[in-house]
Amino acid sequence: MSSMVKKFNLSEWLSWMEQCHPSEIELGLARVSEVAEKLAIDLSQSTVVTVGGTNGKGSTVSYLNRIYQHAGYSVGCYTSPHFLYYNERVRLDSRNVTDALLCDAFERIDQARGEIPLTYFEFGTLAALLIFSDQKPDLVLLEVGLGGRLDAVNIIDADISVVTTVAIDHIDWLGDDRDQIGFEKAGIYRPDRPAVCGDLSPPPSIARYAAEIGAKLYQAGTEFSYSAEGELWCWKGETVNGNDRQLNQLSKPSLPLQNAATALQVSELIPLEVTESDLRYGIQFAELTGRMQHIEKTGVHYWLDVAHNPEAAELLKEQILGMPGNVTLILGMLADKDCQQVIEILEPVVTSVCLVSLDVPRGQKAEELSKLFSDKTEARLFSSVTEAIGQIQLDTDSHENVIIAGSFFTVSHALTELGRDQ
């Protein structure tokens, strides 16, 4: 029941939201669209970019946020999940929104919904959209939570829609082949509006869907491309008017290059003017919590990365191969991820392994992960990320670089343990 106005603090709202719907996930747009209409959510004063895909959503959003803030525009970002604080999901000009703004939005949503049930994610999505509707930033960047076609974010008709990559993930919800998953991801594209795909080998469903609805597709490898040599790289793309565009001698970013190329193509389609200097700055200095995030403590270099599927593990492997000295892997994963393949990718490129149990729903035990390693690897087992980091702090002489990966939960626990308060 929502007839009484709730006067909750943020923690109370989040606890209540977790309990008020029987399912953690219920894909579909009918319920959330109805509530959005009652709230009169209106993003017409902002340019809206929706970003979906299996991997690369967060870094693409980060690149675009850096570029347009550097150019002097106000930018709203909605991303998920969060690491330490729920407020991380809704940011205005790179600052987490306040508890007060979120609580006000949740209260208005609860009053507007009447008897309409909403999931935790739907409440959060509506809150972000309501805040952006009120604040009217120049640019709104919306990260899709799961899939695309039936994700709550897709109630918004974005001016530009982006699919970063398509890989096998969330098969219970999206299907177990790339073409079906590609169809679900491409569901964020809109007729007669730019559609961008950053996947270098996209499934046919991406182009097929764009053609069916009449969206102009900008495909990596066709309309835009990139090449790297040493510490520099160059990018070629297409303007909204169909002209060629090129940037040479760009500095290598800390986030994946493929997503930088995608962000540059998107920037050519956003109707907000930026300079070449803005583009270069945004690409070079974009950062993202939990994506090759570097923390140094007592002489040990920790690298935090949320890589939790094979495609992300391949990107992490490339980063590890460029590291000097020994590399220790602290790995904690959820049981429903492709633990076997992630381990097969990372095991050959690390010096030693620490496996941690995740005490969360669906968390995998360290003992189970150890069974997936070859006989050549003697993995040490720990009950938690905290225990593993504590041991490494005791014997720092044997650890130069420590990769902490496998899950958002693994990285969140590491951030807390390493004292990195965002």
Side-chain angles (χ1 to χ4, degrees):
M1 300 290 290
S2 58
S3 56
M4 293 179 61
V5 176
K6 298 177 180 63
K7 291 298 180 184
F8 289 161
N9 62 30
L10 182 57
S11 177
E12 291 167 335
W13 268 116
L14 297 176
S15 296
W16 178 82
M17 284 157 47
E18 285 177 337
Q19 299 162 17
C20 75
H21 193 282
S23 303
E24 181 184 358
I25 299 170
E26 184 179 333
L27 295 178
L29 304 182
R31 292 170 294 104
V32 72
S33 294
E34 188 176 345
V35 180
E37 193 171 335
K38 291 183 177 184
L39 290 164
I41 287 172
D42 178 11
L43 300 183
S44 62
Q45 311 255 340
S46 307
T47 297
V48 181
V49 179
T50 295
V51 182
T54 307
N55 295 306
K57 298 186 294 290
S59 53
T60 301
V61 167
S62 182
Y63 283 127
L64 292 169
N65 178 51
R66 254 313 165 96
I67 290 167
Y68 284 88
Q69 269 196 254
H70 190 261
Y73 295 104
S74 56
V75 183
C77 296
Y78 174 53
T79 59
S80 64
H82 60 278
F83 286 91
L84 301 177
Y85 308 107
Y86 184 90
N87 314 56
E88 298 163 30
R89 295 181 180 223
V90 188
R91 294 166 69 83
L92 287 164
D93 295 333
S94 296
R95 293 187 181 88
N96 298 346
V97 298
T98 62
D99 287 9
L101 267 182
L102 285 168
C103 290
D104 174 68
F106 290 144
E107 185 179 307
R108 290 158 66 187
I109 293 162
D110 189 43
Q111 287 300 297
R113 75 182 180 91
E115 299 301 314
I116 299 170
L118 295 172
T119 66
Y120 179 92
F121 183 77
E122 289 167 342
F123 257 104
T125 300
L126 286 169
L129 298 177
L130 189 55
I131 289 168
F132 296 151
S133 177
D134 291 344
Q135 300 291 324
K136 299 177 173 49
D138 300 310
L139 179 64
V140 168
L141 303 171
L142 303 175
E143 181 184 315
V144 171
L146 175 64
R149 183 174 63 92
L150 298 177
D151 186 86
V153 167
N154 203 32
I155 64 170
I156 299 298
D157 291 325
D159 297 293
I160 302 156
S161 300
V162 187
V163 174
T164 53
T165 62
V166 180
I168 304 293
D169 204 5
H170 301 295
I171 58 175
D172 291 344
W173 301 100
L174 305 179
D176 58 3
D177 69 85
R178 287 184 77 234
D179 206 54
Q180 175 60 29
I181 294 172
F183 170 76
E184 294 294 333
K185 304 282 188 194
I188 63 174
Y189 291 161
R190 291 295 188 271
D192 302 317
R193 297 190 182 181
V196 179
C197 179
D199 196 301
L200 299 174
S201 301
S205 54
I206 296 283
R208 187 167 61 238
Y209 185 79
E212 282 174 6
I213 66 169
K216 162 62 175 170
L217 181 63
Y218 295 83
Q219 174 62 57
T222 307
E223 281 73 25
F224 67 99
S225 62
Y226 68 95
S227 59
E229 187 172 335
E231 289 304 305
L232 298 175
W233 66 291
C234 65
W235 173 86
K236 294 179 181 179
E238 187 176 312
T239 69
V240 72
N241 298 319
N243 298 320
D244 292 337
R245 178 89 154 96
Q246 184 164 337
L247 292 172
N248 295 316
Q249 294 190 308
L250 291 158
S251 297
K252 280 266 188 80
S254 62
L255 299 175
L257 207 53
Q258 183 177 342
N259 303 323
T262 301
L264 285 174
Q265 180 55 61
V266 175
S267 73
E268 291 297 326
L269 309 173
I270 293 174
L272 299 171
E273 189 172 341
V274 295
T275 66
E276 183 173 320
S277 175
D278 296 324
L279 296 172
R280 289 180 178 275
Y281 179 91
I283 294 300
Q284 184 175 358
F285 295 107
E287 297 174 316
L288 197 57
T289 302
R291 272 73 162 195
M292 285 308 291
Q293 181 181 0
H294 179 236
I295 299 174
E296 185 178 356
K297 186 173 182 181
T298 61
V300 180
H301 293 275
Y302 293 92
W303 302 89
L304 281 56
D305 198 285
V306 296
H308 57 272
N309 57 37
E311 186 182 48
E314 287 286 0
L315 289 172
L316 179 55
K317 175 183 175 180
E318 291 178 21
Q319 298 283 349
I320 294 171
L321 287 170
M323 290 182 175
N326 62 53
V327 177
T328 297
L329 172 66
I330 296 179
L331 185 71
M333 297 190 70
L334 298 181
D336 58 356
K337 299 300 179 184
D338 192 346
C339 302
Q340 177 76 70
Q341 199 170 347
V342 168
I343 286 168
E344 287 176 2
I345 292 166
L346 297 179
E347 182 181 8
V349 296
V350 298
T351 313
S352 58
V353 174
C354 300
L355 301 177
V356 300
S357 297
L358 292 183
D359 187 18
V360 297
R362 301 177 287 129
Q364 184 62 283
K365 297 296 183 186
E367 291 81 4
E368 294 302 313
L369 287 176
S370 69
K371 296 173 184 176
L372 303 178
F373 280 81
S374 69
D375 295 337
K376 293 182 290 186
T377 298
E378 290 186 21
R380 291 193 290 174
L381 310 186
F382 297 91
S383 62
S384 66
V385 175
T386 297
E387 187 184 13
I389 292 176
Q391 184 59 50
I392 283 173
Q393 289 292 299
L394 289 174
D395 51 322
T396 55
D397 289 347
S398 58
H399 302 284
E400 295 175 56
N401 293 291
V402 177
I403 305 290
I404 303 178
S407 170
F408 278 85
F409 294 108
T410 311
V411 169
S412 295
H413 296 163
L415 283 168
T416 301
E417 182 60 27
L418 293 170
R420 178 58 61 90
D421 187 79
Q422 298 182 87

